[in-house]
Amino acid sequence: VTEKTKFLNVILPLALPNLYTYRVPREFNDTISLGKRVVVQFGRSKVYSALIAEIHSRAPENYEAKYILSVLDDAPIVVSQQFKLWTWMASYYMCTQGEVMNAAFPSGLKLTSETILQKNLDFDAETSILSDKEYLIYEALEIQEMLSIAEVIKILNQNTVLSLIKSLIEKGAIRINEGLVMKYKPKTVTFVKLSAFADEEEHLKIIFDKLEKAPKQLEKLISFINHSKRYSGNIEEVAKKTIILETGSLSGFAELVKKEIFEVYEKEVSRLSSSGITNWKSNAIVLSESQESAFKKVKGEFENKDVVLLHGVTSSGKTEIYIKLIDEQLKKGKQVLYLLPEIALTTQIINRLSVHYEGRIGVYHSKYSDNERVEIWNSVLGIGGGATYDIILGARSALFLPFNNLGLVIIDEEHENTFKQYDPAPRYHARDSAIYLASIHRAKTLLGTATPSMESYSNAKNGKYGLVELFERFGNMQMPEILLVNVKDEIKKKNMNGHFSPLLMELMTKAFDKKEQVILFQNRRGFSPFLECHLCGWIPNCVHCDVTLTYHKNIGKIRCHYCGYSLDTVVCCSACGDNNIQAKGFGTEQIAEELSHYFPNAKISRMDLDTTRVKNAYQRIIGDFEKGKVDVLVGTQMVTKGLDFDNVSVVGVLSADSMLGYPDFRSYERSYQLMSQVGGRAGRKHKRGKVVIQTYQPDHHVILNVFANDYNAQFTQEMKQRKQFDYPPFSRLIGITIKHKDKQLLDGASEILVKALKLKLGKRVLGPEYPAISRIRNLYLKKVLIKLEISISPTKVKNLIKEEIIKFHSEKDFKSVRILLDVDPL
DNA sequence: AGCACGCCGACT
DNA sequence: GTCGGCGTGCTC
């Protein structure tokens, strides 16, 4: 039987535009299949795990294909629907398949090749032929068998070690090994069983008698017998830990093993806490009248629309509607994907969902350990023996899981911009990608929010999506009362207490008296955004980036929020030497400090990037606030994100103007969303909440729309502006960022690229312009924006842009110019 | 993304 | 004179 030689086209985990072809050794012919990983050598020394994307028998003509080294998986770990999604994402978001794969795989599935140094045992020359540094490495290998490149760098305290290693190899002192490091390690638990001898009843009796004089051992044996249910029904496996925990000590255990009464064995177990499928009580949910009608409308819309937008005011009880819909899908045996903008929100939601679907929900996001994420992947795939999850709750990366039978995708807080990934590529929008994913599965998508994005609401208005609106808050809760404060007037009247207006002071005082809670929102972290010399106006800037350094009072530093560069707080002006340095503007840190001055007894908690950097810090802050351990929560936009508290009576927006003044066409949309969302946190079951908005422009139309809680007016006015200036949703945008460390070269290069693009696309090409921050980490930036009519085919334009970039990069001076493409930028 | 090849500046 | 900087090109 002559079988044709097989070849594979594989996706490598790199930003390479093409797939690469490898040859399959005969003995692997039966083991290879699409969606399995293989180990391949790529380049002179590197070994990667690559994914089989195509199997064929066309031998490459222009080169000799390398052989694959091995097949990693017993069964495919990527399903056909995922290949479809990845291909679409790579083409829509203008990136490579390798980049999509890298985003899709939890890092536990990505094997990394590592160069390992080992001593050459045949080395017989004098160590005196080695240089001092070489000897240092040689000596280190005497103590430690293996060294990684990173360890060598550490030992020598220098970055360039390759030539030194090369020399060591040439002198015959060391060898190197290229090894793939398997990251995923299954968790094992030690179990105990009786030996074959002890397992026989008559022997066991004798053993019991013999152990009379060894109470510790007897105690362990009894504990085992009880847990194994030997004399009562089904025999169960017993973990060693169970016995140790019950008897409170280890003593005697080893003796039992030694006497060959106990035998221990290892078993792989799931890290996922689950008891498997348990009964779920969906009927426990009772919808209010308005919820019920919204639920029915959603189902009605799904009859002929694939995507439905559920526009429900804050606290209108959207979650209950989701649960009902999830329930229906589960009954049909379908999978459900529930996407949330923020990892931290999963805790609140999971508590509400798990009541209904305990053991069937998998939570998936980047804060989970690699090992756990691999197990969830396998569980969705239905391999690995653990629980099979049919509901996945997660942040944007959850859409990459290997679903094969998806029935419904829910995107909660659809308007949130954290659904868009910016760095690294793929620069994808999880909402839009999930809608495509759903279409692959012929599944439905539900978008839920209190403040729909312009894109989604206009899609709903023009009939592309179904629209269901819910204007009533759950349980007769009233919409919060919104109060505007003209900060300009208050300052004139010298009424301000720090950054607090008299009205806000009064409401906070009342709230504290009644043991009610307060949320203060200021969209800026740190103490103040910059320091300024009172005499000459000098402002300390970052040395690597084109931004001012933000003052962080409590760590006594000024820091760059873009690269992390920091300096000790300056006391003297570097320009004129004057010592009258003042803090300008204000951030959350300053608000918290002022608060503790005016309300020394209030328990204050701050929630922003600085205080939530530590793992679980977010959960802790939210938890403390929920439990009432904290009276005031001061935070950045983090506090606006869909959290539900039930004892908040006052919400304060300290400076609406800083949001409105942001130079971006979406700043009004975002300001409305933020104010409306943070305001929605106010209100309790039987009491109307109050929202104080402090602003210099109380007549601004966005402020007035928030005041009137009029989303429709906001939408209509915003649409008028978008149409006038041809912004989305009336056009599509593609952002191009051009980076280089040499400013002049960048200027020239970007002009040439724009000229070439304009030749093809005309006035659709805008720029190049320096962005507001024109230098980050010592790289200068220029931005170009492509604005396309909706009627034009984006695919054609994307191909055209790619061609032009290839042409541009073929120019020898521009090879080092980095170009980032961002489709549908935010 | 690595990694090797190759061409110019500050050292033995 | 060389060591080593990083700019450039290629990897099936």
PDB file of all heavy atoms in Angstrom, chain A residues 272-290:
ATOM      1  N   LEU A 272     -11.259  22.737  38.959  1.00  0.00           N
ATOM      2  CA  LEU A 272     -12.476  23.526  38.967  1.00  0.00           C
ATOM      3  C   LEU A 272     -13.380  23.007  40.057  1.00  0.00           C
ATOM      4  O   LEU A 272     -13.672  21.822  40.105  1.00  0.00           O
ATOM      5  CB  LEU A 272     -13.151  23.411  37.609  1.00  0.00           C
ATOM      6  CG  LEU A 272     -12.191  23.635  36.441  1.00  0.00           C
ATOM      7  CD1 LEU A 272     -12.842  23.235  35.138  1.00  0.00           C
ATOM      8  CD2 LEU A 272     -11.740  25.075  36.386  1.00  0.00           C
ATOM      9  N   SER A 273     -13.790  23.906  40.899  1.00  0.00           N
ATOM     10  CA  SER A 273     -14.660  23.473  41.981  1.00  0.00           C
ATOM     11  C   SER A 273     -16.026  23.205  41.393  1.00  0.00           C
ATOM     12  O   SER A 273     -16.686  24.085  40.886  1.00  0.00           O
ATOM     13  CB  SER A 273     -14.774  24.574  43.030  1.00  0.00           C
ATOM     14  OG  SER A 273     -15.367  25.701  42.449  1.00  0.00           O
ATOM     15  N   SER A 274     -16.387  21.972  41.390  1.00  0.00           N
ATOM     16  CA  SER A 274     -17.706  21.677  40.865  1.00  0.00           C
ATOM     17  C   SER A 274     -18.120  20.299  41.318  1.00  0.00           C
ATOM     18  O   SER A 274     -17.318  19.398  41.463  1.00  0.00           O
ATOM     19  CB  SER A 274     -17.708  21.707  39.349  1.00  0.00           C
ATOM     20  OG  SER A 274     -17.485  20.424  38.844  1.00  0.00           O
ATOM     21  N   SER A 275     -19.369  20.173  41.510  1.00  0.00           N
ATOM     22  CA  SER A 275     -19.863  18.882  41.930  1.00  0.00           C
ATOM     23  C   SER A 275     -20.586  18.229  40.778  1.00  0.00           C
ATOM     24  O   SER A 275     -21.430  17.385  40.952  1.00  0.00           O
ATOM     25  CB  SER A 275     -20.804  19.078  43.114  1.00  0.00           C
ATOM     26  OG  SER A 275     -21.661  20.164  42.830  1.00  0.00           O
ATOM     27  N   GLY A 276     -20.253  18.691  39.578  1.00  0.00           N
ATOM     28  CA  GLY A 276     -20.921  18.144  38.411  1.00  0.00           C
ATOM     29  C   GLY A 276     -22.286  18.771  38.259  1.00  0.00           C
ATOM     30  O   GLY A 276     -22.600  19.771  38.902  1.00  0.00           O
ATOM     31  N   ILE A 277     -23.081  18.197  37.411  1.00  0.00           N
ATOM     32  CA  ILE A 277     -24.394  18.782  37.154  1.00  0.00           C
ATOM     33  C   ILE A 277     -25.301  18.532  38.345  1.00  0.00           C
ATOM     34  O   ILE A 277     -25.504  17.413  38.773  1.00  0.00           O
ATOM     35  CB  ILE A 277     -25.011  18.201  35.879  1.00  0.00           C
ATOM     36  CG1 ILE A 277     -24.134  18.582  34.680  1.00  0.00           C
ATOM     37  CG2 ILE A 277     -26.441  18.683  35.701  1.00  0.00           C
ATOM     38  CD1 ILE A 277     -24.499  17.886  33.401  1.00  0.00           C
ATOM     39  N   THR A 278     -25.804  19.604  38.895  1.00  0.00           N
ATOM     40  CA  THR A 278     -26.750  19.440  40.003  1.00  0.00           C
ATOM     41  C   THR A 278     -28.099  19.972  39.549  1.00  0.00           C
ATOM     42  O   THR A 278     -28.215  20.571  38.495  1.00  0.00           O
ATOM     43  CB  THR A 278     -26.297  20.216  41.245  1.00  0.00           C
ATOM     44  OG1 THR A 278     -26.046  21.566  40.844  1.00  0.00           O
ATOM     45  CG2 THR A 278     -25.050  19.621  41.844  1.00  0.00           C
ATOM     46  N   ASN A 279     -29.069  19.760  40.365  1.00  0.00           N
ATOM     47  CA  ASN A 279     -30.387  20.253  39.990  1.00  0.00           C
ATOM     48  C   ASN A 279     -30.418  21.772  40.032  1.00  0.00           C
ATOM     49  O   ASN A 279     -29.833  22.391  40.898  1.00  0.00           O
ATOM     50  CB  ASN A 279     -31.445  19.704  40.947  1.00  0.00           C
ATOM     51  CG  ASN A 279     -31.114  20.064  42.374  1.00  0.00           C
ATOM     52  OD1 ASN A 279     -29.941  20.041  42.761  1.00  0.00           O
ATOM     53  ND2 ASN A 279     -32.096  20.409  43.175  1.00  0.00           N
ATOM     54  N   TRP A 280     -31.043  22.355  39.082  1.00  0.00           N
ATOM     55  CA  TRP A 280     -31.092  23.800  39.062  1.00  0.00           C
ATOM     56  C   TRP A 280     -32.537  24.242  39.043  1.00  0.00           C
ATOM     57  O   TRP A 280     -33.379  23.659  38.401  1.00  0.00           O
ATOM     58  CB  TRP A 280     -30.292  24.372  37.911  1.00  0.00           C
ATOM     59  CG  TRP A 280     -30.269  23.517  36.683  1.00  0.00           C
ATOM     60  CD1 TRP A 280     -29.618  22.329  36.544  1.00  0.00           C
ATOM     61  CD2 TRP A 280     -30.940  23.744  35.471  1.00  0.00           C
ATOM     62  NE1 TRP A 280     -29.839  21.831  35.306  1.00  0.00           N
ATOM     63  CE2 TRP A 280     -30.635  22.672  34.621  1.00  0.00           C
ATOM     64  CE3 TRP A 280     -31.756  24.779  34.996  1.00  0.00           C
ATOM     65  CZ2 TRP A 280     -31.130  22.592  33.340  1.00  0.00           C
ATOM     66  CZ3 TRP A 280     -32.237  24.696  33.719  1.00  0.00           C
ATOM     67  CH2 TRP A 280     -31.924  23.603  32.903  1.00  0.00           C
ATOM     68  N   LYS A 281     -32.751  25.306  39.791  1.00  0.00           N
ATOM     69  CA  LYS A 281     -34.144  25.678  40.064  1.00  0.00           C
ATOM     70  C   LYS A 281     -34.500  26.935  39.300  1.00  0.00           C
ATOM     71  O   LYS A 281     -34.557  28.015  39.859  1.00  0.00           O
ATOM     72  CB  LYS A 281     -34.355  25.915  41.563  1.00  0.00           C
ATOM     73  CG  LYS A 281     -33.576  24.948  42.417  1.00  0.00           C
ATOM     74  CD  LYS A 281     -33.026  25.645  43.660  1.00  0.00           C
ATOM     75  CE  LYS A 281     -31.907  24.852  44.281  1.00  0.00           C
ATOM     76  NZ  LYS A 281     -30.887  25.672  44.874  1.00  0.00           N
ATOM     77  N   SER A 282     -34.699  26.790  38.015  1.00  0.00           N
ATOM     78  CA  SER A 282     -34.980  27.968  37.204  1.00  0.00           C
ATOM     79  C   SER A 282     -36.323  28.570  37.553  1.00  0.00           C
ATOM     80  O   SER A 282     -36.540  29.755  37.427  1.00  0.00           O
ATOM     81  CB  SER A 282     -34.965  27.600  35.733  1.00  0.00           C
ATOM     82  OG  SER A 282     -35.926  26.599  35.514  1.00  0.00           O
ATOM     83  N   ASN A 283     -37.216  27.733  38.026  1.00  0.00           N
ATOM     84  CA  ASN A 283     -38.543  28.264  38.328  1.00  0.00           C
ATOM     85  C   ASN A 283     -38.557  29.154  39.564  1.00  0.00           C
ATOM     86  O   ASN A 283     -39.533  29.799  39.867  1.00  0.00           O
ATOM     87  CB  ASN A 283     -39.568  27.133  38.476  1.00  0.00           C
ATOM     88  CG  ASN A 283     -38.965  25.937  39.200  1.00  0.00           C
ATOM     89  OD1 ASN A 283     -37.786  25.975  39.563  1.00  0.00           O
ATOM     90  ND2 ASN A 283     -39.763  24.916  39.434  1.00  0.00           N
ATOM     91  N   ALA A 284     -37.398  29.210  40.271  1.00  0.00           N
ATOM     92  CA  ALA A 284     -37.300  30.095  41.417  1.00  0.00           C
ATOM     93  C   ALA A 284     -37.381  31.564  40.996  1.00  0.00           C
ATOM     94  O   ALA A 284     -37.697  32.419  41.788  1.00  0.00           O
ATOM     95  CB  ALA A 284     -36.011  29.842  42.174  1.00  0.00           C
ATOM     96  N   ILE A 285     -37.101  31.796  39.716  1.00  0.00           N
ATOM     97  CA  ILE A 285     -37.130  33.180  39.245  1.00  0.00           C
ATOM     98  C   ILE A 285     -38.543  33.601  38.888  1.00  0.00           C
ATOM     99  O   ILE A 285     -39.217  32.946  38.104  1.00  0.00           O
ATOM    100  CB  ILE A 285     -36.251  33.317  37.987  1.00  0.00           C
ATOM    101  CG1 ILE A 285     -34.792  33.290  38.422  1.00  0.00           C
ATOM    102  CG2 ILE A 285     -36.595  34.574  37.219  1.00  0.00           C
ATOM    103  CD1 ILE A 285     -34.063  34.546  38.197  1.00  0.00           C
ATOM    104  N   VAL A 286     -38.937  34.703  39.503  1.00  0.00           N
ATOM    105  CA  VAL A 286     -40.242  35.235  39.144  1.00  0.00           C
ATOM    106  C   VAL A 286     -40.022  36.615  38.551  1.00  0.00           C
ATOM    107  O   VAL A 286     -39.435  37.489  39.187  1.00  0.00           O
ATOM    108  CB  VAL A 286     -41.171  35.324  40.373  1.00  0.00           C
ATOM    109  CG1 VAL A 286     -42.521  35.885  39.962  1.00  0.00           C
ATOM    110  CG2 VAL A 286     -41.329  33.956  41.017  1.00  0.00           C
ATOM    111  N   LEU A 287     -40.456  36.789  37.334  1.00  0.00           N
ATOM    112  CA  LEU A 287     -40.256  38.075  36.683  1.00  0.00           C
ATOM    113  C   LEU A 287     -41.384  39.027  37.043  1.00  0.00           C
ATOM    114  O   LEU A 287     -42.532  38.618  37.209  1.00  0.00           O
ATOM    115  CB  LEU A 287     -40.221  37.884  35.160  1.00  0.00           C
ATOM    116  CG  LEU A 287     -39.095  37.028  34.581  1.00  0.00           C
ATOM    117  CD1 LEU A 287     -39.141  37.074  33.063  1.00  0.00           C
ATOM    118  CD2 LEU A 287     -37.738  37.496  35.068  1.00  0.00           C
ATOM    119  N   SER A 288     -41.015  40.293  37.159  1.00  0.00           N
ATOM    120  CA  SER A 288     -42.048  41.304  37.359  1.00  0.00           C
ATOM    121  C   SER A 288     -42.824  41.432  36.048  1.00  0.00           C
ATOM    122  O   SER A 288     -42.421  40.878  35.031  1.00  0.00           O
ATOM    123  CB  SER A 288     -41.413  42.642  37.708  1.00  0.00           C
ATOM    124  OG  SER A 288     -40.779  43.169  36.568  1.00  0.00           O
ATOM    125  N   GLU A 289     -43.879  42.203  36.103  1.00  0.00           N
ATOM    126  CA  GLU A 289     -44.711  42.330  34.914  1.00  0.00           C
ATOM    127  C   GLU A 289     -43.914  42.911  33.745  1.00  0.00           C
ATOM    128  O   GLU A 289     -43.945  42.399  32.632  1.00  0.00           O
ATOM    129  CB  GLU A 289     -45.904  43.239  35.238  1.00  0.00           C
ATOM    130  CG  GLU A 289     -47.158  42.876  34.495  1.00  0.00           C
ATOM    131  CD  GLU A 289     -48.318  43.680  35.021  1.00  0.00           C
ATOM    132  OE1 GLU A 289     -48.743  43.422  36.183  1.00  0.00           O
ATOM    133  OE2 GLU A 289     -48.765  44.583  34.291  1.00  0.00           O
ATOM    134  N   SER A 290     -43.164  43.973  34.043  1.00  0.00           N
ATOM    135  CA  SER A 290     -42.419  44.609  32.954  1.00  0.00           C
ATOM    136  C   SER A 290     -41.274  43.720  32.471  1.00  0.00           C
ATOM    137  O   SER A 290     -40.953  43.684  31.288  1.00  0.00           O
ATOM    138  CB  SER A 290     -41.898  45.980  33.389  1.00  0.00           C
ATOM    139  OG  SER A 290     -41.051  45.843  34.506  1.00  0.00           O
TER     140      SER A 290
END
